[in-house]
Amino acid sequence: MKKACLVLFNLMVFSSLFAQVTKATSGDFIRFKTSTTYVVLEQDPFSYFNSSIKSNLELFWKITPYKVIEDKEFQTLKVDSKNSFLFISLAEVAKSQAKFVWLNLCMGSNSSDVNKMPEIVSIPLAYYMDVDDEESDEDIDDPDYTYKLGGLLKTVQFYADWNIQNQGQKIEDFKKSSVSLIKDKELWLISKELPKNLQSLNLIKQIYPFAIKLVSEKEIEEAIKSNNDKVLYLHKIGPEDYPIKNAYCFKTLLSCSDGRPYYIDYHTISKDKPDAFLKDDFKNIGEAK
């Protein structure tokens, strides 16, 4: 299921990862914990989400009972406020041509408008571009995020629990305290998500003093499956080969064990700042107190 909606990014605080359309109330969060979560399959038969969501739910979804459904069932069940729903949507940044694939966790609502469903959390998965929007005839594949989908399910659940348990806490304080803990973790990165002049451990270790390892997507997937509490991985969202002007690169470091975000930042892509985890990012996390 792909519903277009407009999302305004607040990129300087924790909610940069969890942008909301209709904000969930404290009552919505409490109701979520007693709900059954209906996981809605996309109508696209080639969907990355459909191909891997069932196996990842079996391994990682612990917070509520769940059931996988088709879009037709969703249209009937979504009007019940006792139900929660996990589904894919499209969203776009205001005043931008960029579209994103989002993973949404929402409560049911008696409104027929999916954007009015109280949103527990939404996490961007990747850039998205319609074929008609592309500036060339070159066939460009959507980025495959399935290797880290289990980890992102952990992050969805982490945020739901965190919001219930820390209603009075300032999100900015949480963000600062999380960055300071990175020194005790090992950072696992994929070479292609780094600048071309920074794709070796020798170069990285000149600017980053803590544990780091260059790995494959498969190794990250296995670390997520094994709940490795020593490892952080990068959830990078960039346009890849998409011809998007004035595009952003979003960067989040997530725990393999519980999905906790440890670092959240973004930059506008340029010649000097490519679609990658930058030298400045290493300095930011390496110097955090």
Side-chain angles (χ1 to χ4, degrees):
M1 183 192 68
K2 291 185 177 179
K3 303 280 187 180
C5 58
L6 182 66
V7 176
L8 299 175
F9 280 94
N10 178 1
L11 292 164
M12 300 310 295
V13 296
F14 188 63
S15 57
S16 60
L17 184 59
F18 309 113
Q20 294 178 327
V21 178
T22 298
K23 187 176 181 180
T25 65
S26 58
D28 291 324
F29 278 96
I30 293 172
R31 191 161 56 252
F32 164 68
K33 290 299 291 285
T34 62
S35 73
T36 293
T37 299
Y38 292 93
V39 183
V40 187
L41 295 177
E42 290 197 277
Q43 297 180 40
D44 178 3
F46 303 105
S47 164
Y48 286 133
F49 180 76
N50 289 4
S51 68
S52 62
I53 188 59
K54 291 182 180 179
S55 59
N56 278 294
L57 287 167
E58 291 175 1
L59 290 173
F60 304 117
W61 192 261
K62 311 295 183 183
I63 196 168
T64 61
Y66 71 87
K67 181 181 179 181
V68 178
I69 62 173
E70 302 286 344
D71 182 73
K72 183 178 179 180
E73 295 175 85
F74 171 69
Q75 299 305 325
T76 301
L77 293 169
K78 71 179 183 180
V79 298
D80 190 337
S81 62
K82 296 190 298 294
N83 297 331
S84 58
F85 300 90
L86 187 72
F87 58 90
I88 294 292
S89 72
L90 295 186
E92 57 188 26
V93 178
K95 300 180 181 180
S96 170
Q97 63 169 295
K99 295 180 181 179
F100 299 85
V101 180
W102 285 70
L103 180 63
N104 309 274
L105 178 63
C106 300
M107 296 303 298
S109 168
N110 58 11
S111 172
S112 60
D113 185 353
V114 69
N115 295 322
K116 294 183 179 179
M117 296 171 65
E119 195 160 277
I120 302 298
V121 52
S122 287
I123 298 181
L125 299 177
Y127 271 80
Y128 173 87
M129 181 174 289
D130 293 316
V131 174
D132 292 341
D133 291 339
E134 294 176 5
E135 295 181 356
S136 70
D137 294 330
E138 184 180 356
D139 185 20
I140 301 175
D141 294 329
D142 289 338
D144 185 356
Y145 51 79
T146 54
Y147 74 94
K148 55 186 174 182
L149 183 56
L152 297 175
L153 289 178
K154 293 181 182 184
T155 298
V156 167
Q157 295 170 91
F158 176 90
Y159 178 70
D161 274 334
W162 181 89
N163 196 288
I164 292 170
Q165 299 169 13
N166 300 275
Q167 293 186 36
Q169 184 176 346
K170 293 181 180 180
I171 288 182
E172 189 64 32
D173 292 340
F174 175 85
K175 181 183 175 183
K176 291 179 180 178
S177 64
S178 296
V179 173
S180 67
L181 300 174
I182 292 177
K183 63 181 182 295
D184 300 319
K185 303 291 184 178
E186 184 171 52
L187 187 58
W188 284 19
L189 299 176
I190 300 170
S191 293
K192 68 180 181 180
E193 295 184 330
L194 296 171
K196 292 182 179 180
N197 62 355
L198 202 61
Q199 293 184 353
S200 78
L201 287 178
N202 288 336
L203 292 173
I204 296 171
K205 288 179 179 179
Q206 293 177 26
I207 57 173
Y208 183 69
F210 306 121
I212 186 168
K213 185 177 179 181
L214 297 181
V215 298
S216 65
E217 293 178 353
K218 185 64 176 179
E219 287 174 292
I220 291 176
E221 184 176 18
E222 291 302 318
I224 291 170
K225 286 182 179 179
S226 65
N227 298 313
N228 193 324
D229 62 358
K230 296 181 180 179
V231 172
L232 305 182
Y233 70 97
L234 174 64
H235 178 40
K236 185 189 74 67
I237 306 164
E240 308 291 338
D241 295 321
Y242 288 172
I244 298 175
K245 297 178 181 178
N246 302 317
Y248 293 108
C249 175
F250 302 97
K251 303 156 290 186
T252 310
L253 295 176
L254 299 172
S255 167
C256 286
S257 61
D258 63 3
R260 172 177 176 156
Y262 280 77
Y263 177 72
I264 302 171
D265 205 359
Y266 79 106
H267 65 267
T268 302
I269 297 170
S270 66
K271 181 179 179 181
D272 296 328
K273 293 186 175 182
D275 178 9
F277 194 79
L278 303 176
K279 181 177 181 179
D280 287 344
D281 294 306
F282 282 112
K283 289 182 177 180
N284 289 341
I285 63 177
E287 298 171 358
K289 303 296 182 181

